[in-house]
Amino acid sequence: AQSVTQLGSHVSVSEGALVLLRCNYSSSVPPYLFWYVQYPNQGLQLLLKYTTGATLVKGINGFEAEFKKSETSFHLTKPSAHMSDAAEYFCAVSGAGDTNAGKSTFGDGTTLTVKP
Amino acid sequence: KAGVTQTPRYLIKTRGQQVTLSCSPISGHRSVSWYQQTPGQGLQFLFEYFSETQRNKGNFPGRFSGRQFSNSRSEMNVSTLELGDSALYLCASSLDGTGRETQYFGPGTRLLVL
């Protein structure tokens, strides 16, 4: 079974400040990890993903995340927040095997507010 | 390439009715997954189809069903609608649904049940 915990349902930062959104996962198989962003009344857009290889993953819009197996974490960071980053962010885990076919398990989401 | 499209975008139904939602995946993608998103339960997996076969299913009642056509387009049906079925229904496509492949999401269909 797989699960994702996102710490903090709401995060507020000032424009130009560091963004840190936390995600911890649980998986019985090697995990594939994803961060998505959702703007109001829209679907989910992929920011970045980890499958194998380098544990520091760079994504779009200046976001990056580091896979830490020992801590079962995949936290999302951005050095300098922009007003346009205000949205809801979801961490997701998927895995190999028939029981995981086509299925991603999502965290509850973190709403990011950026103050001017 | 065109993205994932979902129709209709908005839908209002009354309790007891049924509804059919449609999803057209990205060209070449053979896996289509459906998710329900609500404020209370978040994003929950409904089911996944690959090559016209349901390979995986979430924990939803039998009122929720789906199918996939030979061109990979998919439909989901909800019968005997309940108030709690009000949600954003998201469709996602990927090449093969193996988990490591990125799922690309459509804009969703917002269903309101009155």
Side-chain angles (χ1 to χ4, degrees):
Chain A
Q2 297 175 316
S3 66
V4 172
T5 302
Q6 290 184 238
L7 298 174
S9 57
H10 292 86
V11 170
S12 180
V13 300
S14 296
E15 193 174 17
L18 171 72
V19 175
L20 171 60
L21 304 182
R22 300 178 188 273
C23 172
N24 288 90
Y25 70 91
S26 172
S27 178
S28 57
V29 296
Y32 306 124
L33 295 159
F34 305 80
W35 274 100
Y36 291 90
V37 62
Q38 185 177 34
Y39 297 99
N41 298 314
Q42 294 187 26
L44 277 67
Q45 179 185 3
L46 179 72
L47 285 174
L48 49 79
K49 71 176 185 180
Y50 169 81
T51 54
T52 59
T55 56
L56 182 61
V57 180
K58 295 188 185 299
I60 63 171
N61 301 338
F63 286 95
E64 63 180 40
E66 186 171 11
F67 170 62
K68 292 187 176 181
K69 185 177 179 180
S70 61
E71 298 178 7
T72 60
S73 68
F74 191 56
H75 301 330
L76 182 71
T77 60
K78 182 174 180 178
S80 177
H82 295 160
M83 297 297 292
S84 60
D85 294 328
E88 190 160 19
Y89 292 79
F90 292 93
C91 180
V93 63
S94 65
D98 291 343
T99 59
N100 294 312
K103 176 183 177 181
S104 293
T105 299
F106 288 85
D108 291 336
T110 297
T111 300
L112 175 65
T113 301
V114 182
K115 298 175 292 185
Chain B
K1 267 186 184 179
V4 178
T5 58
Q6 292 187 245
T7 57
R9 290 293 312 278
Y10 302 92
L11 209 47
I12 300 175
K13 293 286 187 178
T14 56
R15 279 181 298 174
Q17 287 187 310
Q18 74 166 18
V19 66
T20 299
L21 312 181
S22 180
C23 172
S24 292
I26 291 172
S27 178
H29 286 191
R30 297 170 63 190
S31 169
V32 174
S33 299
W34 288 89
Y35 295 87
Q36 181 195 65
Q37 185 177 23
T38 60
Q41 299 297 318
L43 279 151
Q44 293 190 293
F45 172 76
L46 282 155
F47 32 63
E48 185 255 8
Y49 285 87
F50 179 84
S51 292
E52 303 179 66
T53 300
Q54 186 183 87
R55 286 196 302 188
N56 203 356
K57 187 175 183 303
N59 189 26
F60 278 83
R63 299 185 297 107
F64 291 82
S65 63
R67 60 177 176 169
Q68 187 181 35
F69 302 94
S70 59
N71 61 357
S72 294
R73 190 177 69 84
S74 178
E75 290 181 346
M76 68 164 281
N77 183 276
V78 188
S79 63
T80 318
L81 283 166
E82 300 177 358
L83 295 180
D85 296 334
S86 294
L88 181 66
Y89 290 89
L90 293 165
C91 160
S93 76
S94 69
L95 283 171
D96 56 15
T98 55
R100 67 182 297 139
E101 292 293 331
T102 299
Q103 289 190 314
Y104 294 88
F105 284 79
T109 294
R110 186 165 296 281
L111 172 64
L112 177 61
V113 181
L114 301 176

